[in-house]
Amino acid sequence: MNNNAQPPVCCDTPGRSLSERIGRDLPRRYRAEKRFRRLGLTAIVVALSFLVFLFGSIIGSGYSAFRQTYVELAVTFDESAFTSENLAAADFPGLVKQSLRTMFPEVEGRAALKNLYRIVSPSAAYTLQDMVAENPKLIGTTQRIWVLADDDVDMLIKGQISGAGEEANRRLKDDQLAWITTLRDQGRIETRFNTTFFTAGDSREPEQAGIRGAVMGSFYSLLITLLLSFPIGVMAAIYLEEFAPDNILTNVIEVNINNLAAVPSIIFGLLGLAIFINFFGMPRSTPVVGGLVLTLMTLPVIIIASRAALKSVPPSIREAALGIGASKMQTVIHHVLPLALPGMLTGTIIGMARALGDTAPLLMIGMIAFIVDIPSGFTDPATALPVQIFLWADSPERAFTEKTSAAIMILLAFLIAMNATAVFLRKKFEIKW
Amino acid sequence: MDFPALLLVLMLLAVGAYVLGARKAMAAAAAGGGIRSLHSLPSHYGMLTAVAAVLPALCLAVVWQAAQPPVLTALLKASLPAETQALSAGEFSLIINDITNVVAGNFTPGADQTVIAEAAQRYMKLQDTSDLLRTGIVLLLAAVSTALVYARITARLRARNIVEGVLKALLIVCSAFAIFTTIGIVLSVLFEALRFFKIVPPHEFLFGLDWSPQMAIRADQTGSSGAFGAVPVFAGTMLIALIAMIVAIPIGLLSAIYLSEYAGERLRTVAKPLLEILAGIPTVVYGFFAALTVAPLIRDLGLSFNLPVSSESALAAGLVMGIMIIPFVSSLSEDVLHAVPQSLRDGSLALGATKFETVKNVVVPAALPGIVGGVLLAVSRAIGETMIVVMAAGLSANLTANPFQAVTTVTVQIVTLLVGDQEFDSPKTLAAFALGLVLFFFTLFLNFIALRVVQKYREQYE
């Protein structure tokens, strides 16, 4: 680089001139080298900062969903409300409204009262109902009960919507804001850990919505996928790697598997809709069909991983087994398969993680319906975790945004756990031959 | 006995048959002068008997289970009163639907629906008879085939060869699943697409410039002409894929080159798994990110430059899709760069080239076919990607090259046409399958070429 400092001595001899020319070029070439190196590093930094940005924006908007706002009510279980034998027939919403009216006796007029009632979630009545069903002795007493606040109140308490601005443009009106401030000053509003989110099914009311139903739907679908795709995938890999003769049929199967691994997942959804639902008449929106579609999608992944695992078992193992008189099948089952199994399991877990995150094929087979009940079997209508995320992302309520982000965090936690298991298995059982 | 219980009984039978077969083999061995006189291990005889107990019976049970509903429905149809049978096909299928709902317990027939109630009764009776018959025949078959094999067990029976033959057949069937899946895909999209092309001629679909698949219910309705010209949809797909590739190719390729040629061991062990996380994130998460974070960001940015940016701009969807594709490009190209022999690099460096010049003039040209293959795979991925575009791209089919406008894609249209009510006699629903057909064959074509190129490239240096 300091060649520049040296003045040219002589330019007549051609050798000198060549090294001169090289010397003159060197700074430029080194600069290009440095530039390129920096460019490569920038590319990695840019890619990784996308990752950080993505995680940051999701965690930033989702962590608040793990807490939920509750309001304390003093409910009088008036005996006059429980005249009928059937306790569930009592007017529980009325009890909730009554207690709100006693808390704010100054509120009058239909519109104002309606606003007042909107502070607590409609689920408050069910909370009361459950309490009475569990303990009928409550009738005739007055209890202080924490019930879910409405999602707008929740958003306000968490600071995600503000009470400022034009009243007509706000979800919470001025009188509601005043009541909330009063309740807050009295210590009757607080945020707690959101258990509803983990125990409830879907709901139109954000404060009552949970991911339990979606998680169970994903669980049943993936169970079917695992039970079918692992044995079929492993057996297919064994045949192709250990037994298949080198002929056209084998070639066709191999090309097919490689291509299937790259077919867009939505096409598998079309297959599920046309074949499983329309042709075989299987029930729509159920984990059975979801599981079958995901099986077809996961199979190529598992087959490719299992073949790689079989390929990494050295031939000496096979030769040794054959040498002491084992049959080909015995060699494979007794000696090659156990050595390849960790690799196959790793591939299977990665395939299952992909199946867990996949949404598009499930939309096609109707696992996108609004389902409140938590599925309890393979043929109950269900959604899946990623589909739930999609459904909530489409909901207009502000409170569903944080629920969506929180559901994404749960989904990512599952995926990270699965991939970590795969990495752990690989590290633990990896054999360097 | 219902199907799961039947399976359980068959499994128990298999265990019993295994013990029986192994015992008989041991007895034959004892009679014939010790265990060495047996052709196979006793366990092979056991397995053979177990296979005989289960395999034929299981096949029959599965076929029966699959054939039962259509056969029973046909019997039921024949038994319905004449006036019901005279109804139109649509009404008739409604009645059948009601009956199956009554049978499933989802629906109680009203007082005026005696026909349905009686039919449901009959159906349930038929079902019971069928179940009973199935259980009897399946168990009988299991017993007979077990007995047949059991009787033939001698010391010289080549049990191992037979068992291994059966196992091998099972392996072949499993590996044929890939072909079944492909055939299933082709048939499912092809049949519905052909029905679509009977209504809308293929040239109109492939070259038409107007896409508005909502069918008009009334004649005077506007905006729902039922036009099926897919060019704007294809153009939108290409636009978004192009934006994605403009993001993904430079970043992915440069990171791959840096990681494989420059980076130290430490950076590689950290950066590679982190990049792979990008590939592992579900696309619905990217979709949410695109719709909620990136799209408003781009719109606000555009507004500050006085640019009219749609809130469902192609740019937002393409950008996020590009982020998703980065790890595909980078990991595929890194594999390819690794396959370039070290001697090529050494030769270039020995001639005095800098590392950059080596990469530019030697390594990348040598790896180019593989890189192109990897990029083609990434393009096919981008075209088939669904959730990001469903959540972040628009629904209206604009024929435009402006990345700030909303465009729609093939996958978005498939989802919107098929989610919700489906009528398999309207071109609206069938159009989704025609789009699926195009998507399948186009991505298949890309994948096929890409895999071929990558394979050829690998062979070149092996």
Side-chain angles (χ1 to χ4, degrees):
Chain A
M1 302 221 189
N2 44 13
N3 286 10
N4 283 357
Q6 293 171 355
V9 186
C10 176
C11 318
D12 294 339
T13 40
R16 241 351 227 289
S17 123
L18 180 63
S19 73
E20 272 304 319
R21 281 216 311 274
I22 291 172
R24 243 197 335 266
D25 269 359
L26 266 182
R28 188 185 54 74
R29 290 170 58 199
Y30 282 146
R31 272 204 304 281
E33 169 77 28
K34 254 198 186 145
R35 213 163 38 229
F36 185 66
R37 198 183 256 258
R38 249 183 253 131
L39 206 60
L41 201 58
T42 318
I44 292 179
V45 170
V46 167
L48 294 185
S49 53
F50 279 136
L51 186 70
V52 173
F53 184 39
L54 180 92
F55 271 76
S57 91
I58 281 168
I59 293 175
S61 67
Y63 76 95
S64 55
F66 294 110
R67 297 194 73 78
Q68 189 73 32
T69 308
Y70 284 76
V71 178
E72 192 191 38
L73 297 181
V75 182
T76 310
F77 292 99
D78 202 344
E79 267 148 357
S80 64
F82 297 92
T83 46
S84 144
E85 226 6 64
N86 183 5
L87 290 179
D91 180 19
F92 290 102
L95 289 180
V96 175
K97 288 175 183 173
Q98 177 65 45
S99 82
L100 281 166
R101 276 202 303 272
T102 7
M103 241 189 295
F104 297 97
E106 73 279 5
V107 181
E108 273 170 14
R110 278 178 62 108
L113 278 173
K114 218 173 167 185
N115 279 347
L116 177 63
Y117 300 153
R118 256 193 220 139
I119 287 186
V120 298
S121 158
S123 75
Y126 299 111
T127 315
L128 298 191
Q129 187 179 332
D130 291 348
M131 285 178 71
V132 173
E134 202 178 295
N135 183 10
K137 286 194 190 120
L138 286 176
I139 296 169
T141 63
T142 300
Q143 301 285 330
R144 301 181 84 77
I145 300 165
W146 287 94
V147 297
L148 277 171
D150 190 67
D151 57 311
D152 291 327
V153 179
D154 182 48
M155 289 289 98
L156 180 81
I157 296 291
K158 288 175 183 163
Q160 303 214 11
I161 56 175
S162 78
E166 196 74 25
E167 186 180 8
N169 297 339
R170 271 189 270 123
R171 305 262 306 172
L172 288 171
K173 306 303 170 201
D174 286 340
D175 48 358
Q176 286 175 311
L177 289 176
W179 297 324
I180 292 168
T181 319
T182 318
L183 284 172
R184 220 175 180 177
D185 293 342
Q186 293 171 349
R188 308 183 89 166
I189 283 189
E190 66 175 34
T191 61
R192 299 180 178 177
F193 182 71
N194 187 358
T195 45
T196 317
F197 186 66
F198 296 98
T199 54
D202 196 7
S203 171
R204 295 277 186 232
E205 303 288 336
E207 71 273 11
Q208 297 176 41
I211 54 166
R212 179 79 185 280
V215 169
M216 291 315 285
S218 276
F219 171 76
Y220 286 124
S221 305
L222 284 191
L223 194 62
I224 290 195
T225 308
L226 181 65
L227 290 181
L228 288 176
S229 64
F230 181 64
I232 295 179
V234 167
M235 288 202 272
I238 290 178
Y239 179 73
L240 291 174
E241 200 58 41
E242 304 286 338
F243 293 99
D246 192 11
N247 59 19
I248 295 179
L249 186 69
T250 314
N251 251 330
V252 168
I253 292 178
E254 276 180 24
V255 171
N256 236 311
I257 289 171
N258 287 334
N259 275 323
L260 276 182
V263 165
S265 61
I266 191 171
I267 300 282
F268 287 98
L270 288 179
L271 164 92
L273 176 61
I275 304 245
F276 295 137
I277 293 183
N278 279 352
F279 189 71
F280 286 122
M282 287 175 154
R284 273 173 72 87
S285 314
T286 53
V288 193
V289 183
L292 286 176
V293 169
L294 293 177
T295 300
L296 295 184
M297 239 184 66
T298 320
L299 259 182
V301 180
I302 295 184
I303 294 178
I304 291 172
S306 302
R307 288 189 67 176
L310 285 171
K311 217 175 261 172
S312 72
V313 175
S316 57
I317 301 281
R318 296 182 184 83
E319 283 151 14
L322 291 172
I324 54 171
S327 71
K328 182 93 192 164
M329 191 64 86
Q330 284 169 328
T331 305
V332 171
I333 291 178
H334 296 173
H335 302 281
V336 180
L337 188 59
L339 289 171
L341 211 53
M344 293 173 165
L345 280 177
T346 311
T348 307
I349 295 174
I350 289 171
M352 296 302 290
R354 248 176 74 173
L356 172 61
D358 220 313
T359 323
L362 301 184
L363 300 186
M364 299 289 94
I365 55 160
M367 284 184 85
I368 187 182
F370 172 72
I371 290 152
V372 178
D373 295 329
I374 290 161
S376 58
F378 295 107
T379 49
D380 283 355
T383 55
L385 195 46
V387 183
Q388 186 72 73
I389 291 169
F390 174 62
L391 284 170
W392 281 351
D394 257 6
S395 301
E397 283 93 350
R398 181 72 182 76
F400 269 126
T401 306
E402 68 166 24
K403 295 271 188 280
T404 314
S405 304
I408 288 177
M409 284 157 70
I410 304 284
L411 177 63
L412 290 178
F414 274 123
L415 292 178
I416 289 173
M418 286 167 95
N419 282 303
T421 315
V423 170
F424 172 76
L425 272 179
R426 186 157 45 196
K427 282 258 150 56
K428 174 141 177 138
F429 292 104
E430 194 177 44
I431 307 169
K432 285 257 187 289
W433 299 101
Chain B
M1 216 184 286
D2 59 347
F3 195 63
L6 189 61
L7 287 187
L8 196 71
V9 170
L10 279 180
M11 289 306 125
L12 289 177
L13 271 181
V15 174
Y18 178 90
V19 175
L20 275 181
R23 282 247 179 96
K24 174 138 188 214
M26 293 293 269
I35 194 98
R36 278 193 297 170
S37 64
L38 280 182
H39 171 269
S40 316
L41 294 172
S43 61
H44 286 130
Y45 293 94
M47 275 189 257
L48 181 63
T49 330
V51 165
V54 171
L55 200 60
L58 193 65
C59 291
L60 181 71
V62 167
V63 169
W64 196 300
Q65 178 75 3
Q68 184 171 322
V71 171
L72 287 193
T73 315
L75 283 177
L76 182 73
K77 276 179 189 165
S79 76
L80 283 173
E83 65 259 37
T84 318
Q85 292 203 34
L87 288 172
S88 73
E91 289 174 73
F92 191 70
S93 77
L94 274 181
I95 286 187
I96 295 291
N97 212 358
D98 278 350
I99 294 171
T100 40
N101 269 329
V102 172
V103 172
N106 297 333
F107 167 74
T108 342
D112 54 336
Q113 291 173 305
T114 45
V115 175
I116 290 179
E118 278 168 17
Q121 287 292 330
R122 263 201 310 280
Y123 189 88
M124 279 193 260
K125 217 176 250 166
L126 278 174
Q127 214 168 22
D128 286 346
T129 324
S130 159
D131 273 357
L132 199 66
L133 217 58
R134 179 182 66 187
T135 310
I137 294 183
V138 164
L139 292 184
L140 189 70
L141 182 62
V144 168
S145 69
T146 313
L148 276 180
V149 170
Y150 183 76
R152 292 182 58 181
I153 289 182
T154 58
R156 290 173 58 195
L157 181 70
R158 297 155 71 90
R160 181 176 58 76
N161 303 41
I162 305 175
V163 170
E164 287 182 354
V166 171
L167 202 54
K168 198 167 162 186
L170 191 66
L171 294 183
I172 294 178
V173 169
C174 283
S175 57
F177 257 89
I179 295 188
F180 293 148
T181 310
T182 309
I183 295 175
I185 289 176
V186 171
L187 287 186
S188 60
V189 289
L190 200 64
F191 268 116
E192 309 293 354
L194 284 179
R195 282 170 67 190
F196 172 74
F197 287 133
K198 265 183 209 150
I199 309 171
V200 178
H203 62 88
E204 200 181 309
F205 173 73
L206 286 176
F207 304 111
L209 297 180
D210 193 18
W211 177 265
S212 81
Q214 298 301 326
M215 298 296 277
I217 299 172
R218 300 189 314 272
D220 57 338
Q221 218 168 2
T222 52
S224 320
S225 49
F228 291 98
V231 169
V233 181
F234 297 147
T237 311
M238 288 302 158
L239 178 63
I240 290 183
L242 182 72
I243 297 171
M245 296 326 287
I246 289 176
V247 174
I249 291 177
I251 297 184
L253 201 54
L254 282 173
S255 2
I257 292 175
Y258 190 84
L259 283 179
S260 78
E261 306 290 323
Y262 290 97
E265 197 52 43
R266 269 192 29 219
L267 178 64
R268 217 194 321 241
T269 48
V270 175
K272 262 186 84 164
L274 283 178
L275 276 180
E276 272 163 27
I277 290 183
L278 272 181
I281 292 175
T283 53
V284 67
V285 177
Y286 281 111
F288 179 68
F289 177 65
L292 217 85
T293 311
V294 178
L297 208 69
I298 289 178
R299 194 190 49 213
D300 295 346
L301 215 64
L303 282 181
S304 62
F305 289 105
N306 274 331
L307 274 171
V309 180
S310 158
S311 57
E312 297 181 324
S313 61
L315 188 59
L319 195 69
V320 174
M321 197 187 277
I323 298 176
M324 185 197 87
I325 305 273
I326 289 173
F328 282 99
V329 177
S330 79
S331 75
L332 284 170
S333 354
E334 219 196 315
D335 286 352
V336 165
L337 290 173
H338 262 296
V340 174
Q342 187 61 30
S343 58
L344 288 184
R345 291 189 188 86
D346 293 347
S348 164
L349 291 172
L351 286 174
T354 63
K355 240 182 167 171
F356 167 53
E357 286 157 352
T358 308
V359 168
K360 189 181 74 175
N361 298 328
V362 179
V363 180
V364 170
L368 201 60
I371 292 176
V372 170
V375 167
L376 282 183
L377 276 183
V379 171
S380 119
R381 191 95 193 178
I383 288 174
E385 170 44 44
T386 309
M387 292 321 291
I388 294 177
V389 280
V390 166
M391 293 168 86
L395 285 177
S396 56
N398 296 324
L399 188 55
T400 174
N402 179 355
F404 300 117
Q405 273 197 7
V407 294
T408 191
T409 73
V410 174
T411 46
V412 173
Q413 288 305 317
I414 295 178
V415 170
T416 32
L417 292 175
L418 283 185
V419 167
D421 294 331
Q422 300 155 357
E423 317 145 59
F424 275 83
D425 48 358
S426 111
K428 173 180 162 262
T429 300
L430 295 176
F433 286 90
L435 287 174
L437 182 75
V438 174
L439 179 65
F440 176 68
F441 279 107
F442 190 65
T443 51
L444 190 71
F445 172 74
L446 279 181
N447 297 337
F448 189 73
I449 303 273
L451 291 173
R452 262 330 243 308
V453 168
V454 172
Q455 201 183 5
K456 275 268 154 61
Y457 164 77
R458 288 251 165 80
E459 280 163 8
Q460 187 187 330
Y461 288 119
E462 259 166 17

